[in-house]
């Protein structure tokens, strides 16, 4: 018995199959989207040391609660002197 014949015989499975398909598609789309972000590094051959390309002006934390980010004056002076 094929899959579609089973669905036509037991029509109560159609919503279940629909929602499972939507959930699996959404999970796959999010996984592909997450792999394209800069936080996830898969290719170690082209960029073996990714920490060298991190912008120091962008604060990167896992969680920040009620914190104001202020640039470090010494770092800004060095950056302005090297420009």
């Amino acid at each position: 018995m094929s899959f579609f014949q089973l669905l036509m015989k037991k029509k109560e499975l159609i919503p279940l199959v629909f929602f499972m398909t939507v959930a699996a598609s959404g999970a796959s789309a999010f996984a592909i989207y997450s792999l394209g972000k800069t936080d996830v590094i898969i290719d170690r051959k082209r960029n073996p040391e990714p920490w060298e390309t991190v912008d120091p002006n962008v604060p990167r934390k896992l969680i920040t609660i009620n914190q104001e980010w202020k640039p470090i004056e010494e770092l800004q002076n060095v950056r302005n002197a090297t420009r």
Side-chain angles (χ1 to χ4, degrees), residues 39 54 58-70:
D39 296 342
V54 175
V58 178
R60 294 189 183 261
K61 290 190 172 190
L62 189 59
I63 185 169
T64 303
I65 300 173
N66 297 331
Q67 180 179 357
E68 291 183 19
W69 184 79
K70 299 176 185 173

Side-chain angles (χ1 to χ4, degrees), residues 23-37 40:
S25 300
S28 300
F30 182 73
I32 292 170
Y33 167 76
S34 295
L35 290 176
K37 295 174 76 174
V40 179

Side-chain angles (χ1 to χ4, degrees), residues 48-60:
E49 298 171 346
W51 53 87
E52 292 181 355
T53 60
V54 175
D55 186 13
N57 289 330
V58 178
R60 294 189 183 261

Side-chain angles (χ1 to χ4, degrees), residues 8-79:
M8 290 302 134
K9 193 172 192 180
K10 300 187 179 206
K11 295 190 185 291
E12 63 271 8
L13 292 178
I14 293 174
L16 177 66
V17 170
F18 172 75
F19 286 114
M20 291 300 292
T21 304
V22 169
S25 300
S28 300
F30 182 73
I32 292 170
Y33 167 76
S34 295
L35 290 176
K37 295 174 76 174
T38 59
D39 296 342
V40 179
I41 299 168
I42 295 176
D43 188 9
R44 294 179 61 188
K45 293 181 181 177
R46 284 191 283 159
N47 192 7
E49 298 171 346
W51 53 87
E52 292 181 355
T53 60
V54 175
D55 186 13
N57 289 330
V58 178
R60 294 189 183 261
K61 290 190 172 190
L62 189 59
I63 185 169
T64 303
I65 300 173
N66 297 331
Q67 180 179 357
E68 291 183 19
W69 184 79
K70 299 176 185 173
I72 302 170
E73 292 180 25
E74 296 173 355
L75 180 62
Q76 295 300 324
N77 293 337
V78 170
R79 175 168 281 181

